[in-house]
Amino acid sequence: MTDTTDEIWEPHAPATTARPRPVEVPASAGRLELLVAGTASVDVLAEGVVEVTAQDPEGGTGDVRIEWRLPCVDVTSFWSPDPRGTGWLPTAWNAPRRTGLSRGAPVAALVGTGDTTVCAFASDREEVLASAGVVEETGEFRFWVQAAGRLTVRIDTSGRHFGLSLAELADWWAGERPVHVPDAARLPAYSTWYALHQDITPGTVEQQAALGKELGLDTIIVDDGWMTTDRTRGYAHCGDWEPHSLPDTAAHVARVHDLGVQYMLWYALPFIGKDSAAWAELSRFTLVDAPHMGAVVVDPRYPAVRAHLVDRLARAVEEWGMDGLKVDFIDWFGVQDPPAPGPEADCATVDEGLHLLLAEIRRRTVAAAPESMIEHRQPYVSPGLWPYATMVRAVDCPLSSQENRQRVVDTRLIAGPLAVHSDMLMWHPTEPVEQIACHLINVLFGVPQISVDLAVQSPAQRETLAFWLGVSRSHVDTLQLGGFRPARPDLGYPMITAVGDGTTVVARYAPLPVATGTEAAGEWRTLLVANADADPGVRLTGGRGTAEATVQDARGRTVGTSTVHLDGGLVYVPRGGLLTLRRV
């Protein structure tokens, strides 16, 4: 074991006074070489799970670092919650990740053959510098996490399914963060963004809400355009948040409620646009200029900024009767080198100001409507934000089914109590129903958001939407709260399984056999197999006995029934279709 990190070339790593020294690790922790800069303690929590703490020996704010290595053996992929962060193995000399309250999460995993946990870790602090990568000279994989003052890291080398390890790490985060997620946050929603962009009027919103309710969409999220009559995009009109495109707002919201639909409203929280009335007063509190957006990002360290933004957002619920807020662009607060705070600031750090801002928005909205919802979005998935949100959405990937699937899964794995929503689903008006079904199957394990003009969908397209939204609604407990087993992160999750109480759901995105035995599928009475692959031949393996099989096409029409063997049976399920197995 070496006692410094000098032998590894790290051209992007920042200068630090932290010089790790070897620390003995119990044998039950696995094949770890551990080095710690600072006063170290190691606690064994379970077989293959340890908690390591490093503290500045002077009790101050000096850098501390926890570093560990292990043989990079039988490894298939590296997992992280960053968009496009999962798959390839990074090198130890790559630039480290900087996580914080408004960007990323301090967690990652090295995944082995069979989707096992070779090594997963999480930090107790949001704001850390972390590195993970292959050491070319030795064939090892090295992790390190660095912070100021004090740091605790949990390290898991248990060999369990990596999803179980990540869920346990998320549970650790959740221990001191009580979060209430209303039932409505887990039900399918309609978004105006891709369908309407800024073409927002009371009539268009109410039309889509009514049509969506018929299909099983219980919430409408009105996006950009409601606060301006300008239709040229950009963010120059953000900041005043006056409902210029939604006159008589409270009456309009009441009409949507009369349809049985809940209503959420979009806000680009950090932006004060150059064409807003707020510009004259608040642009002097600029955190960072964004001229290409036509706006500046304002600094939440200033009480005047927080007071303005809280009042603007809270009145949507307090005065207009909205059921929640879509809070966008929080990641823009994550400025690496912010300006020094001025005399009117009451916070030393931007994160401190952001905590105060989001906490007050949440307090006001919950006081007005206890079941109100707040949507956040990748990449701001930090557990420090959980108390201020009810759901988190996959970052924009229009018409990219596989990308949407991967982003939903990556977010699900460490979202803790929050509902995870897909990016909005859109398609060309001539999209075949089989592909529409595949769009929905790709986000089956999240909350689907739909963003097409429902008024121009054909009867067959509407039938497909209604069928698959019905599957999402009927099995919400299994799909969103059951045991979650995504397979092969190195291949973009070609199969995903969720195990509930008596019901198991499998989605198949490649021509793979479906395991029906209890080890893989649980003690099921009903097993659903959603087929998003062009190969209709679904081979059943590993189970015992027989089951009654019902096959439905993309529109939900029954196209076959039979009795099948659970080990070796072959069932033909059309693309976009659903196989339902019930034990005899």
Side-chain angles (χ1 to χ4, degrees):
M1 183 188 296
T2 55
D3 65 355
T4 74
T5 60
D6 292 343
E7 81 283 2
I8 296 178
W9 184 58
E10 292 187 279
H12 306 288
T16 178
T17 59
R19 291 294 178 229
R21 296 293 184 267
V23 174
E24 186 174 348
V25 180
S28 59
R31 300 170 65 186
L32 289 181
E33 292 185 7
L34 178 66
L35 299 95
V36 177
T39 303
S41 66
V42 180
D43 294 318
V44 178
L45 305 180
E47 187 72 24
V49 182
V50 297
E51 191 168 283
V52 183
T53 297
Q55 188 163 347
D56 181 350
E58 303 298 325
T61 59
D63 287 340
V64 295
R65 177 187 279 195
I66 299 170
E67 178 180 325
W68 64 102
R69 301 186 192 187
L70 70 167
C72 193
V73 174
D74 209 12
V75 167
T76 59
S77 65
F78 177 75
W79 179 93
S80 87
D82 301 331
R84 290 194 172 274
T86 296
W88 70 296
L89 300 184
T91 56
W93 49 262
N94 269 350
R97 296 168 58 228
R98 186 178 298 275
T99 66
L101 180 65
S102 58
R103 182 177 289 273
V107 61
L110 193 62
V111 183
T113 298
D115 301 321
T116 57
T117 301
V118 175
C119 185
F121 85 90
S123 160
D124 68 333
R125 294 177 51 173
E126 293 96 20
E127 66 290 347
V128 301
L129 193 65
S131 175
V134 172
V135 180
E136 296 174 353
E137 292 83 354
T138 65
E140 295 174 298
F141 201 88
R142 185 186 71 152
F143 297 84
W144 59 257
V145 185
Q146 182 175 308
R150 189 179 189 278
L151 172 68
T152 296
V153 170
R154 282 198 179 185
I155 304 171
D156 184 331
T157 57
S158 63
R160 298 173 289 177
H161 189 285
F162 79 101
L164 295 176
S165 295
L166 291 172
E168 189 172 281
L169 292 171
D171 288 342
W172 175 48
W173 284 338
E176 298 180 0
R177 294 181 173 94
V179 176
H180 173 62
V181 177
D183 291 343
R186 299 194 182 278
L187 296 176
Y190 182 86
S191 169
T192 62
W193 180 237
Y194 293 142
L196 304 176
H197 284 102
Q198 290 186 313
D199 188 18
I200 300 297
T201 68
T204 56
V205 171
E206 290 165 29
Q207 179 192 40
Q208 298 301 321
L211 293 170
K213 181 63 177 178
E214 295 174 2
L215 300 174
L217 298 168
D218 292 275
T219 298
I220 190 164
I221 304 171
V222 172
D223 211 289
D224 192 357
W226 65 270
M227 74 297 178
T228 177
T229 56
D230 183 89
R231 299 294 183 247
T232 58
R233 304 279 284 268
Y235 299 88
H237 298 279
C238 294
D240 298 333
W241 302 113
E242 296 292 343
H244 294 297
S245 290
L246 295 176
D248 200 3
T249 312
H252 160 62
V253 173
R255 291 193 295 272
V256 172
H257 284 164
D258 288 344
L259 299 169
V261 175
Q262 299 205 46
Y263 201 132
M264 296 177 67
L265 199 59
W266 171 86
Y267 289 85
L269 181 65
F271 297 145
I272 298 295
K274 61 181 178 61
D275 293 334
S276 69
W279 177 270
E281 174 62 21
L282 296 181
S283 61
R284 64 193 178 96
F285 300 120
T286 293
L287 180 64
V288 62
D289 193 9
H292 63 296
M293 308 287 271
V296 297
V297 174
V298 286
D299 193 333
R301 291 177 290 185
Y302 293 89
V305 168
R306 298 198 303 271
H308 174 83
L309 294 177
V310 169
D311 283 342
R312 295 295 89 188
L313 270 68
R315 70 171 178 163
V317 179
E318 294 171 340
E319 298 178 22
W320 302 333
M322 299 286 181
D323 301 289
L325 312 173
K326 174 177 179 174
V327 183
D328 214 348
F329 297 110
I330 288 176
D331 48 317
W332 282 68
F333 287 117
V335 177
Q336 186 166 335
D337 296 306
E344 294 177 68
D346 63 353
C347 300
T349 69
V350 175
D351 278 1
E352 183 184 355
L354 184 55
H355 270 296
L356 293 172
L357 171 62
L358 297 176
E360 185 61 9
I361 291 170
R362 188 66 181 141
R363 186 193 69 79
R364 291 268 297 267
T365 55
V366 169
E371 294 296 293
S372 61
M373 298 174 282
I374 291 184
E375 179 191 288
H376 288 177
R377 170 182 55 78
Q378 281 182 308
Y380 43 100
V381 294
S382 165
L385 295 176
W386 290 357
Y388 315 130
T390 59
M391 59 247 245
V392 57
R393 176 177 64 83
V395 74
D396 301 33
C397 50
L399 261 175
S400 300
S401 295
Q402 189 278 336
E403 190 71 17
N404 213 348
R405 175 174 82 244
Q406 181 156 330
R407 293 179 183 188
V408 166
V409 172
D410 287 346
T411 306
R412 267 289 305 271
L413 286 165
I414 48 88
L418 301 186
V420 174
H421 285 231
S422 73
D423 184 38
M424 295 79 72
L425 302 185
M426 60 161 289
W427 50 82
H428 190 272
T430 62
E431 188 80 282
V433 296
E434 292 80 10
Q435 185 60 22
I436 291 173
C438 289
H439 285 303
L440 287 152
I441 295 170
N442 270 279
V443 301
L444 190 60
F445 299 90
V447 181
Q449 287 193 17
I450 307 301
S451 191
V452 293
D453 184 352
L454 298 175
V456 302
Q457 301 302 299
S458 70
Q461 290 172 324
R462 290 171 54 82
E463 196 175 1
T464 302
L465 257 175
F467 172 62
W468 280 106
L469 292 176
V471 173
S472 292
R473 295 170 61 91
S474 298
H475 299 286
V476 63
D477 288 344
T478 297
L479 290 168
Q480 296 185 43
L481 301 173
F484 191 47
R485 308 284 192 277
R488 300 297 302 272
D490 54 314
L491 299 179
Y493 308 118
M495 182 173 287
I496 304 171
T497 301
V499 179
D501 184 11
T503 299
T504 294
V505 181
V506 178
R508 175 181 181 266
Y509 308 100
L512 299 172
V514 175
T516 61
T518 56
E519 184 176 351
E523 297 285 352
W524 58 272
R525 296 184 298 275
T526 302
L527 174 63
L528 307 181
V529 181
N531 182 35
D533 190 69
D535 179 5
V538 177
R539 177 73 66 181
L540 308 177
T541 65
R544 294 183 178 180
T546 61
E548 296 298 328
T550 301
V551 177
Q552 293 167 280
D553 67 8
R555 296 162 62 180
R557 301 174 301 183
T558 299
V559 294
T561 60
S562 61
T563 300
V564 298
H565 291 280
L566 296 176
D567 189 11
L570 181 63
V571 187
Y572 289 94
V573 183
R575 183 168 71 101
L578 178 68
L579 166 64
T580 301
L581 300 173
R582 293 183 175 87
R583 289 196 184 275
V584 176

